[in-house]
């Protein structure tokens, strides 16, 4: 199977020119790799292997940053649930180490550039990061040593999201490079989907209170897995015609949508179905019709899907009352908002929700750090950072969505991709208010921010070229 048969671009990923600092960069990267190898030989601990892998990724980021980012977006979804492979803290895991490698690689690439491209929402995002850093310190001050390094690792995660946003703008900031990045992100859902299908065949664990198994694939839970699958399926479906061979596109979408059904998660179903309706109603009505028929068929044939889709106040043999989930969220929000009123301006600190929430799973009763999440981005920001953190991230999302709207409105060659991003961000904002916290889904936010940064820079590049042609 060749790249031509898949319909993928034949040229390799574009690389920026390295300046005179390349020998020094290679020396540092080689030294880091050598140190990692010595640690492996001396200890035999998995942590040493993680250090070696981090050094290798940093090396790749120093020498081939565009290839590094593309591989990062392909690998990161496979590491969402790393089990017990942590460095003594639940959130200090292999995925976090990979995020740290991305931060280092991006910092190195930005430092050696004569001219750095900052996407539209980068300044506001940097401000939100600053507020988050203060909030991380506050969590330690208010909750003491019980929080450990959890607020710090959360700040590193947010910094990695910022790094992906900036790195993509500089490494994939032309229309041709943005096209490649969209293809990579779309296809990144295939392998996790295959793992989800295998889990479904083998029998996923039964969800507490639901009575049936829910597919989570390589993710920590079915909810972020479903959102990730929905986003990658939408990207593949609405790539411009000719970018992928039809059989590649259709096969990949079918593979991705199969475990999406098995997640039994209304959030992912909503993002996918609503996205198809919004994006396809005017220009792709055949796609809308095909998806509508498929959704009705699955809802009619699969009882568990039927029970999750159609609202019901009565319990069935396979599921509790449908309204129970919404009522549980309302009760959860009510308890958290009561806690927020005690500290409305600054909150309790970054990642404090799982420590201050009065609602705790029965199996973790009396254990600190195991309370329920907020299941709402707005509520979580209020609890953890008060009004200040909510305003900071609110301003970021406003600028980000406005940027996506501009990319969707302007007449240029990648306008369909602008419409795609604008629709996805709008749907995720609806979810963030009414159902869950998409910002917590790193494997979904990372590629979306990378695509947003890349497309924003490509739009600027095209505008700059048009201006230069008009002048000459």
């Amino acid at each position: 199977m060749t790249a031509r048969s898949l319909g993928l671009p034949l040229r390799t990923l574009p690389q920026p020119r390295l300046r005179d600092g390349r020998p020094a960069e290679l020396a540092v990267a080689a030294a880091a790799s050598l140190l990692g190898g010595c640690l492996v030989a001396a200890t035999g601990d998995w942590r040493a292997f993680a250090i070696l892998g981090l050094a290798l990724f940093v090396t790749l980021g120093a020498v081939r940053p565009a290839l590094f980012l593309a591989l990062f977006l392909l690998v990161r979804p496979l590491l969402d649930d790393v089990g017990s492979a942590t460095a003594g803290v639940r959130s200090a895991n292999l995925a976090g180490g990979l995020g740290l490698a991305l931060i280092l690689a991006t910092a190195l690439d930005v430092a050696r550039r004569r001219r750095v491209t900052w996407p539209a929402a980068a300044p506001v995002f940097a401000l939100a990061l600053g507020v988050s850093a203060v909030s991380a310190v506050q969590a330690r001050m208010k909750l003491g040593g019980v929080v450990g390094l959890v607020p710090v690792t959360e700040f590193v995660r947010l910094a990695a999201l910022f790094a992906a946003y900036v790195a993509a703008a500089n490494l994939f900031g032309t229309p041709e490079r943005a096209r490649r990045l969209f293809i990579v992100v779309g296809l990144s859902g295939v392998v996790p989907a295959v793992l989800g299908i295998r889990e479904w065949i083998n029998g996923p664990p039964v969800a507490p209170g639901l009575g049936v198994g829910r597919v989570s694939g390589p993710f920590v839970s079915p909810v972020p897995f479903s959102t990730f699958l929905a986003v990658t399926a939408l990207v593949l479906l609405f790539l411009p015609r000719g970018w992928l061979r039809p059989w590649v596109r259709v096969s990949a979408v079918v593979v991705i949508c199969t475990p999406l059904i098995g997640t039994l998660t209304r959030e992912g179903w909503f993002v996918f179905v609503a996205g198809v309706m919004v994006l396809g109603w005017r220009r792709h009505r055949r796609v809308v019709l095909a998806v509508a028929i498929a959704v009705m068929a699955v809802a009619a044939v699969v009882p568990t899907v039927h029970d999750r889709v159609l609202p019901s106040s009565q319990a069935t043999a396979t599921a509790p009352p449908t309204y129970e989930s919404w009522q549980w969220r309302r009760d959860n929000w009510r308890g958290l908002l009561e806690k927020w009123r005690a500290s409305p301006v600054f909150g309790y600190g970054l990642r404090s929700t799982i420590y201050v929430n009065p609602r705790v799973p029965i199996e973790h009763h009396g254990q600190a750090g195991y309370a329920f999440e907020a299941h709402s981005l707005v509520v979580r920001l209020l609890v953890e950072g008060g009004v200040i953190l909510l305003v900071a991230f609110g301003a970021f999302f406003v600028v980000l969505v406005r940027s996506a709207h501009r990319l969707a409105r302007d007449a240029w060659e990648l306008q369909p991709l602008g419409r795609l991003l604008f629709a996805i961000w709008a749907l995720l904002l609806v979810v963030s208010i009414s159902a869950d916290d998409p910002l917590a889904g790193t494997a979904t936010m990372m590629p979306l921010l990378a695509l947003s940064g890349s497309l924003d820079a490509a739009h600027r590049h095209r505008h700059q070229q048009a201006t230069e042609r008009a002048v000459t």
Side-chain angles (χ1 to χ4, degrees):
M1 185 177 294
T2 65
R4 183 182 298 276
S5 65
L6 290 173
L8 300 176
L10 295 179
R11 292 163 53 192
T12 57
L13 290 169
Q15 308 301 329
R17 292 178 179 270
L18 296 179
R19 300 215 297 260
D20 294 338
R22 180 173 181 176
E25 294 161 4
L26 290 175
V28 172
S33 298
L34 180 61
L35 176 61
C38 291
L39 288 172
V40 171
T43 66
D45 192 357
W46 73 264
R47 294 175 179 83
F49 284 96
I51 293 173
L52 176 60
L54 178 62
L56 292 176
F57 258 93
V58 171
T59 303
L60 183 61
V63 181
R64 293 288 185 268
L67 179 60
F68 166 80
L69 181 59
L71 290 176
F72 180 92
L73 295 176
L74 289 171
V75 171
R76 178 56 182 81
L78 303 175
L79 301 177
D80 198 72
D81 182 18
V82 292
S84 60
T86 64
V89 181
R90 282 179 295 157
S91 52
N93 49 42
L94 185 58
L98 194 60
L100 184 60
L102 174 62
I103 296 172
L104 295 175
T106 302
L108 179 61
D109 180 68
V110 168
R112 67 189 179 189
R113 286 181 177 271
R114 293 185 177 91
R115 184 176 180 180
V116 180
T117 300
W118 299 103
V124 188
F125 200 168
L127 176 62
L129 275 181
V131 176
S132 298
V134 175
S135 183
V137 175
Q138 183 187 9
R140 182 77 180 189
M141 294 174 61
K142 281 200 169 186
L143 301 178
V146 68
V147 298
L149 294 177
V150 172
V152 177
T153 55
E154 173 65 8
F155 174 76
V156 172
R157 186 185 75 87
L158 294 173
L161 295 179
F162 177 77
Y165 187 48
V166 174
N170 288 276
L171 299 172
F172 294 89
T174 66
E176 179 62 25
R177 297 177 185 182
R179 165 186 171 177
R180 293 175 179 145
L181 192 63
F182 270 83
I183 293 174
V184 168
V185 169
L187 295 178
S188 69
V190 174
V191 175
V194 171
L195 296 178
I197 293 173
R198 186 182 67 177
E199 179 191 2
W200 202 1
I201 293 174
N202 294 333
V206 176
L210 196 60
V212 294
R214 300 176 67 182
V215 176
S216 57
F219 281 60
V220 68
S221 74
V223 176
F225 187 43
S226 71
T227 307
F228 171 78
L229 293 175
V231 168
T232 54
L234 288 174
V235 170
L236 285 175
L237 269 177
F238 294 100
L239 285 176
R241 183 176 301 178
W243 284 22
L244 280 176
R245 296 295 179 107
W247 69 268
V248 175
R249 187 196 303 258
V250 173
S251 301
V253 170
V254 170
V255 169
I256 292 173
C257 287
T258 299
L260 176 59
I261 299 171
T263 62
L264 298 180
T265 302
R266 287 186 288 263
E267 177 183 320
W269 294 349
F270 166 76
V271 172
F272 177 69
V273 175
V276 170
M277 299 300 175
V278 170
L279 291 165
W281 182 251
R282 293 180 60 186
R283 297 175 177 85
H284 306 278
R285 294 194 177 182
R286 291 183 180 179
V287 175
V288 174
L289 181 61
V291 170
I293 293 175
V295 168
M296 290 186 291
V298 170
V301 173
V302 184
T304 52
V305 175
H306 177 274
D307 295 338
R308 295 286 286 176
V309 170
L310 298 180
S312 173
S313 58
Q314 302 295 324
T316 67
T318 57
T322 308
Y323 293 123
E324 185 177 305
S325 176
W326 172 245
Q327 184 61 47
W328 182 91
R329 279 173 166 77
R330 291 180 59 186
D331 294 339
N332 190 48
W333 298 338
R334 186 179 298 108
L336 284 171
L337 290 176
E338 289 177 359
K339 295 288 295 185
W340 164 69
R341 291 187 184 96
S343 182
V345 179
F346 301 104
Y348 295 88
L350 208 61
R351 284 292 289 164
S352 59
T353 302
I354 56 176
Y355 293 91
V356 303
N357 192 349
R359 298 174 69 91
V360 183
I362 297 177
E363 62 270 20
H364 294 298
H365 183 72
Q367 301 180 41
Y370 287 92
F372 286 112
E373 297 283 1
H375 291 277
S376 167
L377 176 59
V378 174
V379 173
R380 179 171 74 87
L381 292 176
L382 284 173
V383 171
E384 297 184 3
V387 176
I388 295 179
L389 191 63
L390 177 63
V391 170
F393 273 99
F396 162 66
F397 281 112
V398 167
V399 176
L400 183 67
V401 173
R402 285 182 60 185
S403 171
H405 181 259
R406 184 181 69 254
L407 300 176
R409 179 195 60 206
D410 292 353
W412 66 304
E413 59 190 284
L414 298 185
Q415 186 183 31
L417 300 183
R419 296 193 191 100
L420 173 63
L421 283 182
F422 177 65
I424 291 176
W425 280 120
L427 291 172
L428 289 182
L429 287 179
V430 172
V431 170
S432 70
I433 296 173
S434 61
D436 211 78
D437 180 10
L439 185 62
T442 310
T444 301
M445 288 294 104
M446 198 77 74
L448 276 179
L449 286 169
L451 293 180
S452 299
S454 172
L455 202 62
D456 182 274
H459 183 263
R460 295 186 188 187
H461 177 81
R462 181 60 69 208
H463 179 72
Q464 181 180 1
Q465 283 189 333
T467 302
E468 290 175 354
R469 285 194 298 265
V471 171
T472 57

